[in-house]
Amino acid sequence: MGKPFFEVFPSLKLNKGTKDIMEQTNVEKISATKRKDFLRIYLHSTRLIQKDIILSVEEEIKKQLFPGAAMTIKIYERFELSSQYNPEKLIDIYRDSILMELAEYSRIEYNAFKNGELSYPTEEKLLLTVEDTVLNRGKEEELVRILEKILVERCGLKV
């Protein structure tokens, strides 16, 4: 199941809190484009890691390991979470990370999620009610796709 993060990046220096978190992760795969301008790191963790930590690790890898290079570093995290996580609990804990990601992607989806109302009709159902506007109607399928990608693919929830 991959290699420990610091076995793959032994010279990377991180602050203590971030280092402690990353010590508990594994790198499943790394791939780069032929032009060596984009590096993808596939990360696995049994703990939920907030998006700001992931972004700071991306930045440190770029700064320390590829100084001066026109290189984009992207970490694709996948979490194997305990059964204590359900959609409601996950969103309570991970909401800021979801918002951070949506803000980077599109302001429309960000605002729809931020201002939307969440409810949980069943253990495996999440209902997001957003304001009925032309912009939101045009983006609702994309917002559902992004949320499914985060909750189902990344976090392993059945929702």
Side-chain angles (χ1 to χ4, degrees):
M1 181 129 138
K3 290 187 171 192
F5 184 83
F6 286 105
E7 205 173 287
V8 178
F9 300 104
S11 63
L12 188 66
K13 304 281 184 262
L14 300 171
N15 70 46
K16 176 140 177 44
T18 303
K19 183 175 190 272
D20 290 347
I21 290 167
M22 297 310 289
E23 280 176 338
Q24 299 175 44
T25 67
N26 286 311
V27 175
E28 295 183 315
K29 181 171 97 173
I30 295 181
S31 67
T33 57
K34 284 185 179 178
R35 290 188 308 234
K36 306 238 185 292
D37 61 347
F38 198 99
L39 185 71
R40 291 175 182 85
I41 301 164
Y42 296 85
L43 193 73
H44 175 266
S45 176
T46 54
R47 287 187 54 200
L48 192 62
I49 303 171
Q50 297 295 330
K51 197 65 177 178
D52 59 336
I53 292 173
I54 296 292
L55 295 175
S56 74
V57 172
E58 289 173 351
E59 187 59 39
E60 289 304 316
I61 290 172
K62 179 177 172 43
K63 200 165 56 178
Q64 294 178 38
L65 306 180
F66 303 98
M71 169 82 74
T72 300
I73 309 294
K74 178 75 177 132
I75 293 175
Y76 296 92
E77 63 274 34
R78 187 174 63 83
F79 305 118
E80 198 173 308
L81 302 173
S82 72
S83 59
Q84 75 177 13
Y85 285 96
N86 61 28
E88 186 171 7
K89 184 171 184 181
L90 180 77
I91 288 180
D92 283 348
I93 296 168
Y94 203 58
R95 183 179 178 82
D96 289 343
S97 292
I98 294 170
L99 285 168
M100 186 180 290
E101 211 162 327
L102 287 170
E104 199 175 282
Y105 182 76
S106 161
R107 285 313 259 184
I108 297 167
E109 282 92 338
Y110 168 84
N111 284 323
F113 183 76
K114 183 173 190 250
N115 299 321
E117 205 172 286
L118 290 167
S119 61
Y120 307 89
T122 69
E123 186 73 15
E124 295 182 351
K125 250 197 173 87
L126 163 69
L127 179 63
L128 173 61
T129 307
V130 297
E131 186 181 354
D132 187 16
T133 66
V134 173
L135 284 177
N136 284 349
R137 264 188 253 135
K139 294 293 187 172
E140 65 187 9
E141 283 181 26
E142 184 65 6
L143 181 56
V144 167
R145 187 192 68 75
I146 293 167
L147 291 174
E148 280 181 347
K149 196 166 188 65
I150 292 170
L151 299 173
V152 177
E153 290 178 32
R154 180 183 304 164
C155 298
L157 292 182
K158 290 177 173 74
V159 63

